[in-house]
Amino acid sequence: MDFGLVLQTDPPADLLVERMVRAEREGFTHGWTFDSVVLWQEPFVIYSRVLDRTESLCVGPMVTNPGTRTWEVTASLFATLNDMYGNRTVCGIGRGDSAMRVAGRKPATLARLSRAMTAIKNLAEGREADVDGASMHIPWVRDGSLPVWMGAYGPRALDLVGRQADGFILQLADPYLTEWMVRAVRAAAADAGRDPDEVKVCVAAPAYVTDGTEAGLAHGREQCRWFGGMVGNHVADLVARYGEHSDMVPQELTDYVKARQGYDYSHHGRVDNPDTDFVPDAIVDRFCLIGTAEQHVEKLARLRAAGVDQFAVYAMHDDVDGVIGAYGRDVIPAVSGANPT
């Protein structure tokens, strides 16, 4: 199993760069950031610094979208970084949640997302692409490679991942739901004539390593409760589309959003998010990794058995450096040295 570190591009950028450099030393293979340029700093500028300071770390957004930038700009950004540092980028992409809604726009349709994924990948890899009816080609790209990994929850989005994407990003760490969604992605891939095992699976969620006490566990939960609010924002969209009791979406995913009142994007992905009162401890425990290092290793083994290739640590809490160190010291070696479940 690979490991990624996910950070927000809060200033100062130097701190993010240093943490990514340390993460590579500790055994992380991927460095991810949010991509919402009103709420945080522009990530692609920072990626160049990270790539310059690291040797093999792959970087990319978790996730970008088809609307913030035109597709040829997004493709050229990735292609330029790859040309400068080798093919060390990955395009995480989705419909667009915070980036679009903060700017007063709606997330993209899945049809538009599909066209964008095709165009961005083709352009970044040196092929001709259609961009809103215009044929384009980036002539200076040589030997470009850009894996495109799509974030998804709902059945139609999972189907698109399986039919088209190189990887699947799932923003929750519940083994049961992970297995359910990976199965849907692989079925869609098989139906499209693809090898299901070629679609990489990345689970991304907060991780907080505690001392094993009840007080430590309670503190870890409070530091990660914001994640249930963020996931609930996506789940609310699914409920609006498919209904509260639709068999298209697992009930375990939808039940907890019944008490959700709204969402303030100014606190998106932050511990101080006020829109998390509806998130119970049980959901925090299911969606996140909280507990001792040994408990993290145990849950990661279950996720790997469900088909996960990478676990990406959301480090948005009061112990970012502590979790990077704990994973490098206790978790990554234990998972890497374990026999596959």
Side-chain angles (χ1 to χ4, degrees):
M1 180 183 282
D2 286 335
F3 287 85
L5 177 66
V6 190
L7 298 174
Q8 293 166 337
T9 53
D10 286 314
D14 285 348
L15 179 58
L16 182 149
V17 173
E18 292 299 330
R19 283 171 167 162
M20 291 296 187
V21 170
R22 183 187 176 197
E24 183 182 55
R25 291 199 305 264
E26 298 284 7
F28 289 81
T29 60
H30 288 69
W32 303 89
T33 75
F34 282 24
D35 179 17
S36 188
V37 296
V38 174
L39 296 176
W40 302 289
Q41 293 182 328
E42 167 57 50
F44 284 90
V45 176
I46 300 171
Y47 295 155
S48 64
R49 290 280 308 282
V50 174
L51 290 167
D52 191 58
R53 294 280 309 281
T54 56
E55 296 181 1
S56 60
L57 194 74
C58 293
V59 304
M62 188 176 281
V63 293
T64 192
N65 66 83
T68 301
R69 308 172 186 85
T70 59
W71 304 345
E72 69 272 20
V73 170
T74 300
S76 186
L77 287 166
F78 282 113
T80 300
L81 292 172
N82 284 340
D83 188 65
M84 294 172 67
Y85 300 104
N87 291 322
R88 292 169 54 198
T89 65
V90 55
C91 176
I93 193 167
R95 294 176 57 227
D97 180 40
S98 63
M100 296 298 286
R101 285 174 165 143
V102 165
R105 307 183 191 116
K106 293 181 179 180
T109 64
L110 288 177
R112 185 162 181 80
L113 175 57
S114 175
R115 294 194 297 272
M117 289 195 295
T118 298
I120 291 167
K121 183 176 180 68
N122 283 341
L123 288 171
E125 294 185 344
R127 296 184 295 276
E128 189 172 298
D130 180 277
V131 179
D132 288 332
S135 180
M136 294 186 187
H137 172 244
I138 301 178
W140 49 263
V141 174
R142 298 289 184 272
D143 301 318
S145 176
L146 182 65
V148 176
W149 295 13
M150 179 183 153
Y153 290 106
R156 291 177 58 236
L158 295 171
D159 181 73
L160 178 57
V161 172
R163 288 188 288 107
Q164 183 173 346
D166 299 306
F168 169 37
I169 296 173
L170 174 59
Q171 293 173 313
L172 56 81
D174 178 79
Y176 169 78
L177 292 171
T178 297
E179 184 178 11
W180 186 91
M181 294 187 186
V182 169
R183 187 164 57 245
V185 167
R186 286 178 171 167
D191 289 344
R194 306 177 68 194
D195 181 350
D197 292 333
E198 289 186 358
V199 182
K200 298 297 183 182
V201 177
C202 174
V203 158
Y208 200 97
V209 181
T210 71
D211 58 7
T213 66
E214 284 300 320
L217 178 60
H219 180 75
R221 283 174 177 150
E222 291 311 310
Q223 289 295 305
C224 299
R225 198 175 302 276
W226 62 266
F227 184 67
M230 189 179 82
V231 173
N233 196 48
H234 296 288
V235 173
D237 285 346
L238 296 180
V239 172
R241 176 177 292 273
Y242 296 105
E244 184 178 321
H245 300 293
S246 170
D247 58 6
M248 300 287 285
V249 182
Q251 187 173 346
E252 291 86 353
L253 190 60
T254 59
D255 276 352
Y256 86 100
V257 300
K258 294 176 182 178
R260 177 182 179 273
Q261 298 298 315
Y263 194 80
D264 181 357
Y265 280 96
S266 66
H267 299 274
H268 187 60
R270 299 193 184 279
V271 173
D272 63 355
N273 192 321
D275 300 316
T276 58
D277 289 344
F278 72 96
V279 182
D281 287 352
I283 286 294
V284 180
D285 291 344
R286 288 186 67 167
F287 286 7
C288 306
L289 272 73
I290 304 172
T292 64
E294 292 78 11
Q295 290 171 317
H296 285 240
V297 171
E298 180 183 356
K299 189 167 185 178
L300 288 166
R302 295 172 62 199
L303 289 169
R304 182 167 57 184
V308 175
D309 299 293
Q310 179 185 152
F311 176 61
V313 175
Y314 272 170
M316 296 89 180
H317 47 56
D318 65 0
D319 195 25
V320 176
D321 295 312
V323 78
I324 294 173
Y327 263 65
R329 181 181 61 250
D330 301 321
V331 178
I332 294 176
V335 174
S336 300
N339 293 324
T341 303

